[in-house]
Amino acid sequence: MTAAELPFFVYGTLRPGESNHARFLAGRTAGGEPARLPGAALHDGPGYPYAVCDPRGGEVAGELVHAAPGAYAGLLAVLDRLEDFHGPGHPRNLYERLAREVVRVRDGARVAAWVYVAAAGAVPGPRIPAGDWLSRRPVRGVPRTP
């Protein structure tokens, strides 16, 4: 793995069980593990979330995903298209792709990873207080309690 071949931190529709996981990650990854993105807040969006850098603290829950051997370039291209990333600071970006430190849940290790965060033109909705996209709605078949 070269310095530019960072793993990816996914926190919304690319997480296991979510709508884009099988569609975009299947066959392109060597697995994933729970991780957290410190210094960020999670906001609802139009069917998908936005992570927003937040120096006041907070963290976002997600998965650290590693590309399968030989699949890195293809995975990067697919995720850039999905996240509407056209290049650093591009005015049409929906997300910016940034190298950020994430924390692996299993051992607390800090790992550099690519993270797609809301671009300047994005319009994030309400903050998701738990910082976890999966907490915003009931688990399939399990009603949400007030």
Side-chain angles (χ1 to χ4, degrees), residues 9 11 17 31 37 44 58 60 66 80 83 87 107 111 121 129 133 137:
F9 177 77
Y11 54 85
L37 172 65
D44 209 348
V60 173
H66 299 272
D80 280 352
E83 305 296 9
D107 62 3
V111 178
W133 174 249
R137 60 182 169 67

Side-chain angles (χ1 to χ4, degrees), residues 76-134:
L76 180 65
V78 162
L79 294 180
D80 280 352
R81 275 193 304 277
L82 172 66
E83 305 296 9
D84 224 352
F85 174 72
H86 303 279
H90 194 285
R92 293 188 323 165
N93 285 349
L94 183 60
Y95 290 90
E96 290 288 340
R97 178 170 34 93
L98 304 178
R100 295 283 309 266
E101 262 192 0
V102 300
V103 178
R104 283 193 315 227
V105 170
R106 71 177 158 92
D107 62 3
R110 294 186 170 275
V111 178
W114 288 123
V115 180
Y116 292 89
V117 300
V123 182
R127 186 173 180 158
I128 298 172
D132 188 341
W133 174 249
L134 303 181

Side-chain angles (χ1 to χ4, degrees), residues 54-73:
D54 186 353
R56 296 172 297 168
E59 62 182 13
V60 173
E63 297 280 322
L64 186 62
V65 176
H66 299 272
Y72 190 85

